[in-house]
Amino acid sequence: MAATVSDGGRDAERYRAAQLGLTRLLVRDVRGLRRLIIPARLQASVPDWLAAMNAVIAQYAQVSSSLAADFYDTQRDAAGASGVFAAAVADPPSPDHTDASLRWATKDLWPRDPQDPTTTEAQRLPLDTRLVQAEKKAEAVAQKLVADTGRGTVQGAVRADRQAVAWARSASLGACAFCKLLAARGAVYARETVDFRAHDGCHCMAIPVFKGQRFELSAHAREWDRIYREYAANHSGDQLRLFRRALAEHGHLPAAH
């Protein structure tokens, strides 16, 4: 029986690597669909692109969810949790959810009157530039939708499994200050917690914690916690800015992050 569990370690890193590998394949396929958008025929071609994107995102979300369910079940076995339980694979995002997210990513593509005061600077850029920006946003949207399905699988299993008591956030060394701050809190996310606060491009994971286990922060998460407590914790309303600056000063973020 594994008496301790951590946001680091071999199993967590293997799971992270698997999800990152999935993201690389997802981005490759999303970029391949860009050819479906024909600049001279936006009204006719964007709906075809949306349909194709929806199918690709749903496919990868299912794989992400399966990886997460396998990770959960493996962690449960390692913890020696009693009873029979198998993590349920979360459903892919709904087509309406995916469409709304992708429409946000492409909202600046459509031609607008440059003299209209409601037209933004982004919407005044050349179409080629707007297409590049929309493609980048669509990649980020797709990544988050797929990763959220995996994260939701672990969270759903924690809520349904009587042997699970909480989940912890695991952030990579290259994560942003926001993610590192949440990861440094440890296993404070109770079984009933629903929301996993994630941004586009976020590769954080949920780590389940079971009865009888003690959660230990990894060495890097302990350092993030130390930096937060020393430089930011006592400055209400300004903690994240000060934490971000302290992380950069201590080499845990690029200086301009």
Side-chain angles (χ1 to χ4, degrees), residues 76-89:
R76 192 182 194 277
D77 290 343
S82 63
V84 177
F85 182 87
V89 176

Side-chain angles (χ1 to χ4, degrees), residues 14 128 146 206 243 254:
R14 283 179 175 173
D128 286 349
V146 168
F243 181 55

Side-chain angles (χ1 to χ4, degrees), residues 141-218:
V141 162
Q143 181 275 330
K144 184 176 186 300
L145 290 171
V146 168
D148 279 348
T149 309
R151 291 186 280 251
T153 295
V154 174
Q155 287 179 280
V158 169
R159 289 194 297 271
D161 187 356
R162 293 182 178 274
Q163 293 300 307
V165 295
W167 58 271
R169 189 185 188 104
S170 174
S172 67
L173 294 176
C176 68
F178 170 80
C179 291
K180 287 175 177 174
L181 176 59
L182 296 184
R185 293 177 177 174
V188 299
Y189 306 102
R191 291 180 67 241
E192 295 77 17
T193 300
V194 174
D195 185 30
F196 191 110
R197 300 174 65 189
H199 54 79
D200 290 348
C202 178
H203 296 288
C204 290
M205 309 180 307
I207 306 294
V209 183
F210 300 93
K211 290 180 180 179
Q213 281 189 316
R214 177 169 52 87
F215 181 81
E216 292 183 351
L217 286 174
S218 60

Side-chain angles (χ1 to χ4, degrees), residues 20-170:
L20 285 172
L22 187 68
T23 292
R24 286 191 289 270
L25 294 174
L26 169 68
V27 170
R28 179 203 64 188
D29 287 354
V30 166
R31 289 177 179 172
L33 294 178
R34 161 67 178 82
R35 60 182 171 75
L36 297 177
I37 298 180
I38 303 171
R41 299 176 54 244
L42 288 178
Q43 292 284 357
S45 62
V46 168
D48 291 338
W49 173 80
L50 286 172
M53 285 287 290
N54 224 310
V56 166
I57 289 171
Q59 176 186 5
Y60 276 93
Q62 289 175 331
V63 178
S64 178
S65 189
S66 295
L67 289 173
D70 289 344
F71 172 70
Y72 184 92
D73 292 341
T74 299
Q75 293 297 101
R76 192 182 194 277
D77 290 343
S82 63
V84 177
F85 182 87
V89 176
D91 292 331
S94 70
D96 287 345
H97 184 188
T98 299
D99 276 353
S101 299
L102 292 172
R103 289 184 187 282
W104 168 85
T106 56
K107 63 183 176 62
D108 293 335
L109 281 182
W110 309 103
R112 290 174 172 82
D113 181 358
Q115 304 304 318
D116 187 332
T118 64
T119 301
T120 67
E121 289 301 316
Q123 292 162 352
R124 291 188 174 95
L125 294 170
L127 179 56
D128 286 349
T129 303
R130 302 201 309 272
L131 280 166
V132 171
Q133 293 179 345
E135 183 178 19
K136 291 179 179 178
K137 290 179 180 178
E139 288 175 12
V141 162
Q143 181 275 330
K144 184 176 186 300
L145 290 171
V146 168
D148 279 348
T149 309
R151 291 186 280 251
T153 295
V154 174
Q155 287 179 280
V158 169
R159 289 194 297 271
D161 187 356
R162 293 182 178 274
Q163 293 300 307
V165 295
W167 58 271
R169 189 185 188 104
S170 174

